[in-house]
Structure formats: structure tokens, C-alpha cells
Amino acid sequence: MLRQSYVFITKREREFIMLIVTNRNIVTSNFKNGIGDEGAFGDQVNAKGPNEVRFAHADKVNGNWQVRLVKEPKKLTKANIPSKLEFNQLRGKLVENGKNCVFFVHGFNQSFKKNLDKSYAMQEKHGVEVIAFSWPSNPGGFKLEEYRDAKRKAKASVGALDSTLEKLGCYLKAPFNKPTLKDCNVKFSFMAFSLGNFLLQDYIVSGLYGTETRIFDNVILCQADVDNLNHDQWTDCIHVGKRLYVTINEDDWVLKWAELESGKDRLGRTSHNLRSKNATYFDFTDGSNVSDTHGVFYKDTNSEVKEFFTEVLNGRRGESVEGFRYDTHTNSYRF
């Protein structure tokens, strides 16, 4: 079905196809003949409410984004549920291409285009497929009030994240037989970036959370814009298939601003109080060219940081990357 939709695009022209799950509002004026552009979704919640998600495909063609909504059937049956069809189709694509997958929750001040661009950078840099969970984190207005408004929208998006992960977990279950066991080589990981971790934290401590994140081999809390103090109380509640990672850069310029706003140390910018029994901490602060970088997973810094993300986003061990040593004093891997 997906291939038929793109039959007019040659291999050279097509650069990237990504599955989008979003509770953002649809901007119908940015669609022409059923094809949207980088502004296909806006910076407000879905008109039906923050828990309502839509599925779409983002395709980069000749350097430009094209977005196609996944149409909802007029009559819904067990066989044609859009989310089930999309997740199953994606799994088949992963098996066919021998790729792993990352469920990505972005951070603050991210328009739909910025979210697409970061997801594309992740795919290109680390060789993974991306499911982009896109929430309205760029409400506009005065910077400080915008930040606080984004936090409110993060809280409002918890239900959308819960229902999405619940469905994904349900659809990943398969009969116990040889063909499906071969598919187990495909690894799924989860990464929350910056303020996306605030959304995740709210989800973990909410009454909605069960063991939904158990489906992921690795969970990565990348440059988390959450309080460092008592973070272990919620990170120790995260269920994970294999490993939970937390990344740190003490010079992170974005989190420095967030600290000034909140008056509290941010987890992604603090090398003390690293007490979670569930997490493995990686501190990039002293790495060459890291400097004040916030976007450590997609910015060019050094080969060790790149290799770390390539490993963990592909469901493997970050501890195996050469160049890091475990520091017992801080309970973290450092340069």
C-alpha cells in the first residue's frame, strides 16, 4: 500500500520516509492535492483534544518535506485499524532492511519542521528508522511564558504518549513460531530529548503508566530538562527491556538557561547526585568539541559520542564504546 502511494518517486529522488505520530493540529492550508509540506502540523494540540493522535508519513523528496496523512477508514474494523496497519508495516520494513528503530520524543521550541529535521539527522547519522512522536512544544510568544506553556502542553500530551506506546506494544506481540522469532533481531529503542523528558517523567509518575516502555531494548534520557534532585525516584520506576541511559554535559547552554528559569539543577547538566539504580550515566563534558553542545546526538562533536549514540540507538551497549572510563566517584562513564 505504501509503495503504491509513492510509485512516481524514483530511488534517487526519495531520501527518507518516516512514520509520524502526533497530537498537533493539522494545518489544512498547507496541503495541496493531499500532500502537505513542512508546516503540515502546527503548534497547537489536535482540535479533538490532546489525547487524539494522527498518523502521517514524512517523505524527503529533492530536499523538501512532503507529508501524507494516513487516512482513517469510514468504517473501522479489527483488520483496518490505521495504527495497527502502520506499525505492522513498519516492522516488516525493518526486517526487510535489517534496520533497528527509535521512538523519538523531541524537546522544547520544536516546530514540526525542526522535529522532522532532527529525526532525519538521527536516521542519517546512526542508521536507524524513526517513529517521531511530535507534540506541540513551540507555542510562540514571550520566551519564558512560551517555555512554561510548553510544559503545560507536555503534561497534556501524556495520554497521547500512553495510548501510542500501549498500541505499539500490543502490535509487537506475535505468535511463537520460527518466522516471527527471526524478527526478534530487530531492536526498538526509545529516546526522549531535552524537555521531552519532562513529558516522559509526567507519564511515568502518572496513573496511566504500566510497563509500556518494557518493549524497548534501550531507553535514553538525552540531555534531560528535568530536576536532578530526586530523579532516581521516577527513573527507577522505568521498565526497560535491557538498559536505561542518561546523558550529561555540564556546559550545555540550553539547560543552563533552563536552570536559570527553574532555579534547579537539570539532570542533563549535573554530574552529582547520580543515584538511580536503574540508570547508567554517560558524561560527555570533557570530550573534544563537546563544549556547550545541547544536541549531542545529532551535532558533530567527536567520534566517541557519535559511536555511543549509534550503539544505544541500535539497542546495543554504550559501555562497549572505547574512550570512556567508569568513574566510581560520580557513578558515571566519562572521558
Side-chain angles (χ1 to χ4, degrees), residues 212-224:
E212 288 83 359
T213 53
R214 183 69 178 77
I215 62 175
F216 299 108
D217 292 271
N218 289 338
V219 171
I220 305 103
L221 312 184
C222 182
Q223 298 309 110

Side-chain angles (χ1 to χ4, degrees), residues 125-126 193 222-223 247-249 251-253 283-310 321 324 335:
K125 207 172 189 71
H126 305 294
F193 177 55
C222 182
Q223 298 309 110
T247 71
I248 296 163
N249 175 15
D251 299 321
D252 186 317
W253 73 276
D283 187 344
F284 302 142
T285 306
D286 297 324
S288 62
N289 298 318
V290 172
S291 186
D292 61 357
T293 303
H294 182 56
V296 287
F297 73 93
Y298 69 96
K299 295 280 189 179
D300 290 329
T301 55
N302 59 65
S303 59
E304 291 87 356
V305 171
K306 178 183 181 297
E307 188 178 353
F308 167 81
F309 280 105
T310 297
V321 178
F324 295 97
F335 280 95

Side-chain angles (χ1 to χ4, degrees), residues 217-272:
D217 292 271
N218 289 338
V219 171
I220 305 103
L221 312 184
C222 182
Q223 298 309 110
D225 186 3
V226 296
D227 293 349
N228 170 276
L229 184 65
N230 297 326
H231 72 271
D232 55 308
Q233 293 182 6
W234 66 274
T235 56
D236 282 349
C237 296
I238 298 176
H239 293 265
V240 61
K242 298 294 182 185
R243 294 162 288 269
L244 172 68
Y245 292 101
V246 175
T247 71
I248 296 163
N249 175 15
E250 287 187 287
D251 299 321
D252 186 317
W253 73 276
V254 172
L255 296 185
K256 180 179 180 180
W257 178 86
E259 285 184 352
L260 292 172
E261 189 282 325
S262 66
K264 296 179 181 179
D265 291 342
R266 311 324 286 155
L267 176 57
R269 194 174 181 265
T270 312
S271 63
H272 63 265

Side-chain angles (χ1 to χ4, degrees), residues 27-312:
V27 184
T28 54
S29 60
N30 286 336
F31 282 82
K32 185 177 181 180
N33 298 324
I35 301 174
D37 60 15
E38 60 194 34
F41 291 95
D43 295 315
Q44 302 300 321
V45 296
N46 191 320
K48 294 182 179 180
N51 293 336
E52 292 291 326
V53 297
R54 291 296 306 265
F55 289 79
H57 295 125
D59 193 14
K60 202 167 190 185
V61 182
N62 294 331
N64 298 312
W65 286 109
Q66 293 187 357
V67 178
R68 292 168 174 79
L69 296 175
V70 172
K71 292 183 179 179
E72 297 179 351
K74 292 181 180 179
K75 186 177 181 182
L76 198 65
T77 68
K78 288 184 178 181
N80 68 357
I81 300 172
S83 56
K84 183 175 183 178
L85 293 173
E86 292 305 317
F87 285 141
N88 286 344
Q89 188 175 58
L90 174 63
R91 187 172 189 175
K93 179 183 174 185
L94 293 169
V95 173
E96 182 181 350
N97 295 337
K99 282 193 172 184
N100 300 309
C101 186
V102 178
F103 189 99
F104 177 50
V105 181
H106 64 78
F108 169 58
N109 194 29
Q110 297 299 289
S111 64
F112 183 60
K113 179 186 185 302
K114 285 182 178 179
N115 184 206
L116 293 178
D117 290 341
K118 283 185 174 60
S119 299
Y120 179 60
M122 186 192 304
Q123 187 266 346
E124 289 290 284
K125 207 172 189 71
H126 305 294
V128 292
E129 294 283 347
V130 175
I131 300 174
F133 182 83
S134 193
W135 60 283
S137 70
N138 184 36
F142 179 61
K143 195 72 173 181
L144 180 57
E145 183 53 39
E146 183 181 356
Y147 180 67
R148 292 172 178 170
D149 193 20
K151 282 188 169 183
R152 288 189 285 269
K153 287 200 168 73
K155 285 178 177 290
S157 299
V158 164
L161 179 62
D162 174 60
S163 62
T164 303
L165 294 184
E166 204 169 62
K167 289 173 183 176
L168 179 58
C170 178
Y171 302 148
L172 285 178
K173 293 176 183 177
F176 188 81
N177 55 45
K178 267 190 175 181
T180 54
L181 285 175
K182 288 180 180 179
D183 296 351
C184 290
N185 289 328
V186 173
K187 292 180 171 61
F188 281 79
S189 292
F190 177 106
M191 187 168 81
F193 177 55
S194 196
L195 198 64
N197 287 275
F198 181 77
L199 195 166
L200 177 63
Q201 178 185 6
D202 254 50
Y203 175 43
I204 299 300
V205 301
S206 75
L208 295 174
Y209 181 69
T211 62
E212 288 83 359
T213 53
R214 183 69 178 77
I215 62 175
F216 299 108
D217 292 271
N218 289 338
V219 171
I220 305 103
L221 312 184
C222 182
Q223 298 309 110
D225 186 3
V226 296
D227 293 349
N228 170 276
L229 184 65
N230 297 326
H231 72 271
D232 55 308
Q233 293 182 6
W234 66 274
T235 56
D236 282 349
C237 296
I238 298 176
H239 293 265
V240 61
K242 298 294 182 185
R243 294 162 288 269
L244 172 68
Y245 292 101
V246 175
T247 71
I248 296 163
N249 175 15
E250 287 187 287
D251 299 321
D252 186 317
W253 73 276
V254 172
L255 296 185
K256 180 179 180 180
W257 178 86
E259 285 184 352
L260 292 172
E261 189 282 325
S262 66
K264 296 179 181 179
D265 291 342
R266 311 324 286 155
L267 176 57
R269 194 174 181 265
T270 312
S271 63
H272 63 265
N273 193 37
L274 306 181
R275 300 174 182 169
S276 173
K277 296 176 181 177
N278 202 20
T280 300
Y281 301 92
F282 271 75
D283 187 344
F284 302 142
T285 306
D286 297 324
S288 62
N289 298 318
V290 172
S291 186
D292 61 357
T293 303
H294 182 56
V296 287
F297 73 93
Y298 69 96
K299 295 280 189 179
D300 290 329
T301 55
N302 59 65
S303 59
E304 291 87 356
V305 171
K306 178 183 181 297
E307 188 178 353
F308 167 81
F309 280 105
T310 297
E311 291 300 297
V312 299

